[in-house]
């Protein structure tokens, strides 16, 4: 009987296996063991090195190498499952290194414009935020912010053009429109580069009298000092 169960389990695992989105090896997880190791090597030594005003930023990893590849696959190759481990690792790092252990913010993902979300079929920041909240126990408000103006891709734009591109791109979402939160907001995004997106989102929330604790991101383009 034991051998029969063992054989059945092996057969089920074979059928349940998919391919690692980064290297195409067979795996029963989101990434194969090798790619998981490579990704975790990209974890920042000091995730709170950017936690400073005007917008405190908490970053799990450095944007480059396998992390850059994983985020690109998640966003542009229809691999939404990648968000789960990235959000988990971000959540675990927050629990270990949170600069504000006394605070219990509500989590708000940076939204996509409706047309882009319809095209992609999901918002990667929202999926990361869901996984992040499962680990941290923080409350998630998926519709705290809305993206009301469609913008061109930020990649390749200068800092000034990024700022102009995101001018008035956000508005208060339906969850906060009639009842603003009585605790600070913690924003979640996949990447933090020049900060143009974060500044625009924070400005929108603060104009409405909502306190913003900071932003957490899977990867930042700023290296540890």
């Amino acid at each position: 009987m034991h051998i029969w169960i063992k054989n059945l389990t092996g057969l089920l695992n074979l059928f349940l296996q998919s391919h690692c989105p980064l290297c195409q090896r067979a795996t029963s997880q989101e990434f194969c063991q090798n790619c998981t190791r490579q990704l975790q090597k990209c974890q920042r030594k000091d995730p709170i090195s950017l936690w400073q005003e005007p917008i405190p930023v908490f970053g799990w990893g450095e944007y480059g190498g396998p992390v850059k590849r994983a985020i690109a696959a998640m966003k542009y190759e229809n691999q939404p499952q990648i968000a789960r481990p990235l959000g988990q690792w971000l959540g675990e790092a927050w629990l270990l290194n949170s600069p504000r252990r006394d605070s219990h913010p509500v989590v708000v993902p940076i939204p996509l414009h409706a047309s882009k979300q319809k095209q992609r079929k999901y918002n990667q920041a929202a999926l990361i935020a869901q996984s992040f909240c499962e680990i941290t126990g923080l409350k998630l408000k998926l519709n705290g912010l809305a993206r009301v103006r469609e913008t061109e891709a930020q990649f390749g734009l200068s800092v000034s053009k990024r700022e102009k591109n995101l001018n008035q791109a956000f508005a208060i979402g339906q969850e906060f429109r009639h009842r603003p939160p009585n605790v600070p907001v913690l924003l979640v995004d996949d990447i933090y580069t020049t900060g143009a997106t974060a500044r625009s989102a924070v400005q929108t929330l603060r104009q409405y009298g909502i306190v913003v604790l900071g932003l957490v991101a899977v990867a930042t383009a700023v290296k540890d000092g």
Side-chain angles (χ1 to χ4, degrees), residues 96-170:
L96 286 170
N97 304 282
S98 171
R100 292 294 303 273
R101 294 180 190 274
D102 59 326
S103 181
H104 297 281
V106 292
V107 173
V108 175
I110 296 290
L112 288 179
H113 189 269
S115 61
K116 185 171 282 188
Q117 182 150 342
K118 186 177 180 181
Q119 180 185 4
R120 190 173 292 169
K121 299 184 176 64
Y122 53 88
N123 174 13
Q124 72 282 350
L127 297 179
I128 290 165
Q130 285 174 331
S131 188
F132 175 83
C133 287
E134 285 172 9
I135 295 295
T136 61
L138 296 174
K139 288 186 178 178
L140 176 64
K141 296 291 185 182
L142 281 174
N143 299 306
L145 268 176
R147 200 150 190 158
V148 293
R149 191 168 69 78
E150 192 169 4
T151 55
E152 62 178 300
Q154 294 284 85
F155 180 76
L157 297 181
S158 66
V159 174
S160 61
K161 284 184 177 178
R162 284 176 183 236
E163 298 283 353
K164 188 176 180 181
N165 186 39
L166 286 159
N167 184 37
Q168 296 182 327
F170 298 103

Side-chain angles (χ1 to χ4, degrees), residues 181-202:
N182 55 8
V183 294
V185 162
L186 184 64
L187 294 166
V188 174
D189 208 357
D190 53 348
I191 312 164
Y192 177 86
T193 51
T194 65
T197 301
R199 278 190 293 275
S200 182
V202 168

Side-chain angles (χ1 to χ4, degrees), residues 20-24 31 39 63-75 77 79 82:
C20 175
L22 304 188
C23 70
Q24 302 307 309
F31 301 113
L39 285 162
Y63 186 55
V67 171
K68 185 175 181 178
R69 172 76 186 95
I71 290 174
M74 175 177 60
K75 291 166 73 170
E77 297 173 20
Q79 302 283 352
I82 287 176

